[in-house]
PDB file of all heavy atoms in Angstrom:
ATOM      1  N   ALA A  24     113.239 137.816  80.257  1.00  0.00           N
ATOM      2  CA  ALA A  24     113.967 136.685  79.630  1.00  0.00           C
ATOM      3  C   ALA A  24     113.018 135.921  78.662  1.00  0.00           C
ATOM      4  O   ALA A  24     113.538 135.243  77.702  1.00  0.00           O
ATOM      5  CB  ALA A  24     114.489 135.737  80.600  1.00  0.00           C
ATOM      6  N   ASP A  25     111.699 136.061  78.764  1.00  0.00           N
ATOM      7  CA  ASP A  25     110.802 135.264  77.913  1.00  0.00           C
ATOM      8  C   ASP A  25     109.516 136.060  77.843  1.00  0.00           C
ATOM      9  O   ASP A  25     108.739 136.106  78.738  1.00  0.00           O
ATOM     10  CB  ASP A  25     110.559 133.895  78.603  1.00  0.00           C
ATOM     11  CG  ASP A  25     109.617 133.026  77.666  1.00  0.00           C
ATOM     12  OD1 ASP A  25     109.118 133.489  76.620  1.00  0.00           O
ATOM     13  OD2 ASP A  25     109.558 131.858  77.982  1.00  0.00           O
ATOM     14  N   GLU A  26     109.239 136.742  76.621  1.00  0.00           N
ATOM     15  CA  GLU A  26     108.085 137.567  76.511  1.00  0.00           C
ATOM     16  C   GLU A  26     106.790 136.780  76.569  1.00  0.00           C
ATOM     17  O   GLU A  26     105.674 137.364  76.867  1.00  0.00           O
ATOM     18  CB  GLU A  26     108.162 138.289  75.103  1.00  0.00           C
ATOM     19  CG  GLU A  26     108.072 137.316  73.904  1.00  0.00           C
ATOM     20  CD  GLU A  26     108.208 138.024  72.589  1.00  0.00           C
ATOM     21  OE1 GLU A  26     108.481 139.280  72.625  1.00  0.00           O
ATOM     22  OE2 GLU A  26     107.918 137.448  71.581  1.00  0.00           O
ATOM     23  N   GLU A  27     106.812 135.423  76.447  1.00  0.00           N
ATOM     24  CA  GLU A  27     105.593 134.601  76.570  1.00  0.00           C
ATOM     25  C   GLU A  27     105.176 134.620  78.107  1.00  0.00           C
ATOM     26  O   GLU A  27     103.960 134.210  78.418  1.00  0.00           O
ATOM     27  CB  GLU A  27     105.800 133.222  76.080  1.00  0.00           C
ATOM     28  CG  GLU A  27     105.952 133.066  74.575  1.00  0.00           C
ATOM     29  CD  GLU A  27     106.056 131.703  74.100  1.00  0.00           C
ATOM     30  OE1 GLU A  27     105.885 130.783  74.990  1.00  0.00           O
ATOM     31  OE2 GLU A  27     106.135 131.436  72.935  1.00  0.00           O
ATOM     32  N   ARG A  28     105.996 135.035  79.024  1.00  0.00           N
ATOM     33  CA  ARG A  28     105.624 135.200  80.377  1.00  0.00           C
ATOM     34  C   ARG A  28     104.972 136.549  80.704  1.00  0.00           C
ATOM     35  O   ARG A  28     104.605 136.792  81.889  1.00  0.00           O
ATOM     36  CB  ARG A  28     106.789 134.975  81.241  1.00  0.00           C
ATOM     37  CG  ARG A  28     107.469 133.581  81.189  1.00  0.00           C
ATOM     38  CD  ARG A  28     108.772 133.521  81.957  1.00  0.00           C
ATOM     39  NE  ARG A  28     109.415 132.198  82.000  1.00  0.00           N
ATOM     40  CZ  ARG A  28     110.677 132.018  82.276  1.00  0.00           C
ATOM     41  NH1 ARG A  28     111.430 133.043  82.634  1.00  0.00           N
ATOM     42  NH2 ARG A  28     111.183 130.807  82.303  1.00  0.00           N
ATOM     43  N   SER A  29     104.821 137.383  79.747  1.00  0.00           N
ATOM     44  CA  SER A  29     104.307 138.713  79.994  1.00  0.00           C
ATOM     45  C   SER A  29     102.899 138.538  80.558  1.00  0.00           C
ATOM     46  O   SER A  29     102.085 137.795  80.026  1.00  0.00           O
ATOM     47  CB  SER A  29     104.274 139.455  78.682  1.00  0.00           C
ATOM     48  OG  SER A  29     103.684 140.695  78.880  1.00  0.00           O
ATOM     49  N   GLY A  30     102.688 139.282  81.635  1.00  0.00           N
ATOM     50  CA  GLY A  30     101.369 139.132  82.362  1.00  0.00           C
ATOM     51  C   GLY A  30     101.296 138.172  83.520  1.00  0.00           C
ATOM     52  O   GLY A  30     100.372 137.990  84.195  1.00  0.00           O
ATOM     53  N   MET A  31     102.378 137.418  83.668  1.00  0.00           N
ATOM     54  CA  MET A  31     102.366 136.342  84.719  1.00  0.00           C
ATOM     55  C   MET A  31     102.276 137.062  86.144  1.00  0.00           C
ATOM     56  O   MET A  31     102.950 138.142  86.294  1.00  0.00           O
ATOM     57  CB  MET A  31     103.560 135.382  84.603  1.00  0.00           C
ATOM     58  CG  MET A  31     104.936 135.975  85.082  1.00  0.00           C
ATOM     59  SD  MET A  31     106.158 134.669  85.025  1.00  0.00           S
ATOM     60  CE  MET A  31     107.673 135.597  85.575  1.00  0.00           C
ATOM     61  N   ALA A  32     101.551 136.525  87.052  1.00  0.00           N
ATOM     62  CA  ALA A  32     101.302 137.099  88.277  1.00  0.00           C
ATOM     63  C   ALA A  32     100.934 135.991  89.318  1.00  0.00           C
ATOM     64  O   ALA A  32     100.556 134.906  88.947  1.00  0.00           O
ATOM     65  CB  ALA A  32     100.207 138.171  88.282  1.00  0.00           C
ATOM     66  N   THR A  33     101.057 136.347  90.578  1.00  0.00           N
ATOM     67  CA  THR A  33     100.813 135.348  91.650  1.00  0.00           C
ATOM     68  C   THR A  33     100.275 136.026  92.902  1.00  0.00           C
ATOM     69  O   THR A  33     100.606 137.156  93.142  1.00  0.00           O
ATOM     70  CB  THR A  33     102.012 134.499  91.978  1.00  0.00           C
ATOM     71  OG1 THR A  33     101.722 133.537  92.929  1.00  0.00           O
ATOM     72  CG2 THR A  33     103.063 135.411  92.471  1.00  0.00           C
ATOM     73  N   THR A  34      99.346 135.326  93.604  1.00  0.00           N
ATOM     74  CA  THR A  34      99.075 135.746  95.008  1.00  0.00           C
ATOM     75  C   THR A  34     100.297 135.323  95.801  1.00  0.00           C
ATOM     76  O   THR A  34     101.132 134.452  95.439  1.00  0.00           O
ATOM     77  CB  THR A  34      97.936 135.022  95.568  1.00  0.00           C
ATOM     78  OG1 THR A  34      98.044 133.667  95.754  1.00  0.00           O
ATOM     79  CG2 THR A  34      96.673 135.208  94.509  1.00  0.00           C
ATOM     80  N   LEU A  35     100.323 135.860  96.986  1.00  0.00           N
ATOM     81  CA  LEU A  35     101.438 135.414  97.949  1.00  0.00           C
ATOM     82  C   LEU A  35     100.938 135.679  99.360  1.00  0.00           C
ATOM     83  O   LEU A  35     100.578 136.756  99.775  1.00  0.00           O
ATOM     84  CB  LEU A  35     102.706 136.236  97.735  1.00  0.00           C
ATOM     85  CG  LEU A  35     103.880 135.936  98.552  1.00  0.00           C
ATOM     86  CD1 LEU A  35     104.425 134.500  98.232  1.00  0.00           C
ATOM     87  CD2 LEU A  35     105.031 136.866  98.426  1.00  0.00           C
ATOM     88  N   THR A  36     100.920 134.599 100.126  1.00  0.00           N
ATOM     89  CA  THR A  36     100.606 134.763 101.579  1.00  0.00           C
ATOM     90  C   THR A  36     101.693 133.955 102.342  1.00  0.00           C
ATOM     91  O   THR A  36     101.927 132.766 102.083  1.00  0.00           O
ATOM     92  CB  THR A  36      99.180 134.147 101.848  1.00  0.00           C
ATOM     93  OG1 THR A  36      98.251 134.766 101.060  1.00  0.00           O
ATOM     94  CG2 THR A  36      98.869 134.276 103.347  1.00  0.00           C
ATOM     95  N   ALA A  37     102.390 134.619 103.278  1.00  0.00           N
ATOM     96  CA  ALA A  37     103.452 134.047 103.994  1.00  0.00           C
ATOM     97  C   ALA A  37     103.461 134.441 105.480  1.00  0.00           C
ATOM     98  O   ALA A  37     103.045 135.489 105.837  1.00  0.00           O
ATOM     99  CB  ALA A  37     104.865 134.498 103.299  1.00  0.00           C
ATOM    100  N   VAL A  38     103.997 133.531 106.220  1.00  0.00           N
ATOM    101  CA  VAL A  38     104.149 133.820 107.632  1.00  0.00           C
ATOM    102  C   VAL A  38     105.676 133.488 107.934  1.00  0.00           C
ATOM    103  O   VAL A  38     106.160 132.449 107.382  1.00  0.00           O
ATOM    104  CB  VAL A  38     103.205 133.070 108.611  1.00  0.00           C
ATOM    105  CG1 VAL A  38     101.790 133.616 108.523  1.00  0.00           C
ATOM    106  CG2 VAL A  38     103.245 131.539 108.393  1.00  0.00           C
ATOM    107  N   LEU A  39     106.292 134.279 108.759  1.00  0.00           N
ATOM    108  CA  LEU A  39     107.661 133.946 109.168  1.00  0.00           C
ATOM    109  C   LEU A  39     107.840 134.353 110.611  1.00  0.00           C
ATOM    110  O   LEU A  39     107.199 135.306 111.095  1.00  0.00           O
ATOM    111  CB  LEU A  39     108.693 134.504 108.197  1.00  0.00           C
ATOM    112  CG  LEU A  39     108.899 136.004 108.029  1.00  0.00           C
ATOM    113  CD1 LEU A  39     109.901 136.546 109.004  1.00  0.00           C
ATOM    114  CD2 LEU A  39     109.307 136.241 106.585  1.00  0.00           C
ATOM    115  N   THR A  40     108.761 133.709 111.321  1.00  0.00           N
ATOM    116  CA  THR A  40     109.078 134.139 112.691  1.00  0.00           C
ATOM    117  C   THR A  40     110.620 134.135 112.945  1.00  0.00           C
ATOM    118  O   THR A  40     111.333 133.388 112.246  1.00  0.00           O
ATOM    119  CB  THR A  40     108.454 133.121 113.632  1.00  0.00           C
ATOM    120  OG1 THR A  40     108.713 133.502 114.953  1.00  0.00           O
ATOM    121  CG2 THR A  40     108.917 131.705 113.422  1.00  0.00           C
ATOM    122  N   ASP A  41     111.035 134.945 113.793  1.00  0.00           N
ATOM    123  CA  ASP A  41     112.441 134.941 114.251  1.00  0.00           C
ATOM    124  C   ASP A  41     112.632 134.224 115.580  1.00  0.00           C
ATOM    125  O   ASP A  41     113.691 134.251 116.142  1.00  0.00           O
ATOM    126  CB  ASP A  41     112.969 136.390 114.335  1.00  0.00           C
ATOM    127  CG  ASP A  41     112.229 137.226 115.367  1.00  0.00           C
ATOM    128  OD1 ASP A  41     111.244 136.744 115.999  1.00  0.00           O
ATOM    129  OD2 ASP A  41     112.664 138.363 115.736  1.00  0.00           O
ATOM    130  N   GLY A  42     111.496 133.539 115.958  1.00  0.00           N
ATOM    131  CA  GLY A  42     111.548 132.813 117.309  1.00  0.00           C
ATOM    132  C   GLY A  42     110.771 133.525 118.319  1.00  0.00           C
ATOM    133  O   GLY A  42     110.458 132.892 119.327  1.00  0.00           O
ATOM    134  N   SER A  43     110.511 134.797 118.147  1.00  0.00           N
ATOM    135  CA  SER A  43     109.752 135.505 119.143  1.00  0.00           C
ATOM    136  C   SER A  43     108.600 136.288 118.596  1.00  0.00           C
ATOM    137  O   SER A  43     107.537 136.377 119.133  1.00  0.00           O
ATOM    138  CB  SER A  43     110.649 136.460 119.935  1.00  0.00           C
ATOM    139  OG  SER A  43     111.247 137.402 119.186  1.00  0.00           O
ATOM    140  N   ARG A  44     108.849 136.808 117.367  1.00  0.00           N
ATOM    141  CA  ARG A  44     107.766 137.547 116.643  1.00  0.00           C
ATOM    142  C   ARG A  44     107.314 136.790 115.394  1.00  0.00           C
ATOM    143  O   ARG A  44     108.097 136.074 114.764  1.00  0.00           O
ATOM    144  CB  ARG A  44     108.284 138.943 116.218  1.00  0.00           C
ATOM    145  CG  ARG A  44     108.600 139.816 117.318  1.00  0.00           C
ATOM    146  CD  ARG A  44     109.514 140.986 116.866  1.00  0.00           C
ATOM    147  NE  ARG A  44     108.767 141.844 115.816  1.00  0.00           N
ATOM    148  CZ  ARG A  44     109.383 142.607 114.950  1.00  0.00           C
ATOM    149  NH1 ARG A  44     110.733 142.772 115.002  1.00  0.00           N
ATOM    150  NH2 ARG A  44     108.697 143.323 114.113  1.00  0.00           N
ATOM    151  N   VAL A  45     106.030 136.974 115.071  1.00  0.00           N
ATOM    152  CA  VAL A  45     105.383 136.289 113.910  1.00  0.00           C
ATOM    153  C   VAL A  45     104.816 137.362 112.974  1.00  0.00           C
ATOM    154  O   VAL A  45     104.099 138.205 113.411  1.00  0.00           O
ATOM    155  CB  VAL A  45     104.488 135.270 114.189  1.00  0.00           C
ATOM    156  CG1 VAL A  45     103.816 134.643 112.956  1.00  0.00           C
ATOM    157  CG2 VAL A  45     105.036 134.146 115.108  1.00  0.00           C
ATOM    158  N   VAL A  46     105.217 137.346 111.640  1.00  0.00           N
ATOM    159  CA  VAL A  46     104.788 138.378 110.783  1.00  0.00           C
ATOM    160  C   VAL A  46     104.031 137.658 109.571  1.00  0.00           C
ATOM    161  O   VAL A  46     104.464 136.628 109.090  1.00  0.00           O
ATOM    162  CB  VAL A  46     105.972 139.219 110.225  1.00  0.00           C
ATOM    163  CG1 VAL A  46     105.489 140.215 109.109  1.00  0.00           C
ATOM    164  CG2 VAL A  46     106.590 139.986 111.362  1.00  0.00           C
ATOM    165  N   LEU A  47     102.949 138.294 109.202  1.00  0.00           N
ATOM    166  CA  LEU A  47     102.134 137.861 108.035  1.00  0.00           C
ATOM    167  C   LEU A  47     102.302 138.849 106.848  1.00  0.00           C
ATOM    168  O   LEU A  47     102.205 140.048 107.102  1.00  0.00           O
ATOM    169  CB  LEU A  47     100.629 137.846 108.375  1.00  0.00           C
ATOM    170  CG  LEU A  47      99.671 137.563 107.255  1.00  0.00           C
ATOM    171  CD1 LEU A  47      99.761 136.213 106.604  1.00  0.00           C
ATOM    172  CD2 LEU A  47      98.240 137.899 107.742  1.00  0.00           C
ATOM    173  N   GLY A  48     102.665 138.358 105.655  1.00  0.00           N
ATOM    174  CA  GLY A  48     102.664 139.104 104.485  1.00  0.00           C
ATOM    175  C   GLY A  48     101.599 138.567 103.449  1.00  0.00           C
ATOM    176  O   GLY A  48     101.471 137.363 103.381  1.00  0.00           O
ATOM    177  N   HIS A  49     100.973 139.490 102.686  1.00  0.00           N
ATOM    178  CA  HIS A  49      99.860 139.022 101.998  1.00  0.00           C
ATOM    179  C   HIS A  49      99.538 139.977 100.784  1.00  0.00           C
ATOM    180  O   HIS A  49      99.533 141.203 100.906  1.00  0.00           O
ATOM    181  CB  HIS A  49      98.572 138.875 102.828  1.00  0.00           C
ATOM    182  CG  HIS A  49      97.397 138.588 102.088  1.00  0.00           C
ATOM    183  ND1 HIS A  49      97.034 137.364 101.547  1.00  0.00           N
ATOM    184  CD2 HIS A  49      96.241 139.400 101.776  1.00  0.00           C
ATOM    185  CE1 HIS A  49      95.955 137.415 100.905  1.00  0.00           C
ATOM    186  NE2 HIS A  49      95.388 138.651 100.960  1.00  0.00           N
ATOM    187  N   VAL A  50      99.241 139.333  99.623  1.00  0.00           N
ATOM    188  CA  VAL A  50      98.659 140.027  98.534  1.00  0.00           C
ATOM    189  C   VAL A  50      97.917 139.049  97.685  1.00  0.00           C
ATOM    190  O   VAL A  50      98.310 137.897  97.518  1.00  0.00           O
ATOM    191  CB  VAL A  50      99.727 140.791  97.646  1.00  0.00           C
ATOM    192  CG1 VAL A  50     100.731 139.709  97.002  1.00  0.00           C
ATOM    193  CG2 VAL A  50      99.165 141.648  96.612  1.00  0.00           C
ATOM    194  N   GLY A  51      96.642 139.453  97.263  1.00  0.00           N
ATOM    195  CA  GLY A  51      95.905 138.552  96.469  1.00  0.00           C
ATOM    196  C   GLY A  51      94.693 138.011  97.200  1.00  0.00           C
ATOM    197  O   GLY A  51      94.233 138.491  98.183  1.00  0.00           O
TER     198      GLY A  51
END
């Protein structure tokens, strides 16, 4: 939608739970 955003990137670190299990997702 916007070529000026070309190259944009981010790290991402997340934890989530369903009430019994906990999962970590990570990049960066």
Side-chain angles (χ1 to χ4, degrees):
D25 185 350
E26 63 181 14
E27 291 187 1
R28 295 172 178 163
S29 179
M31 72 176 180
T33 183
T34 71
L35 182 67
T36 303
V38 289
L39 64 91
T40 181
D41 62 356
S43 58
R44 299 164 57 199
V45 178
V46 175
L47 167 70
H49 171 72
V50 64

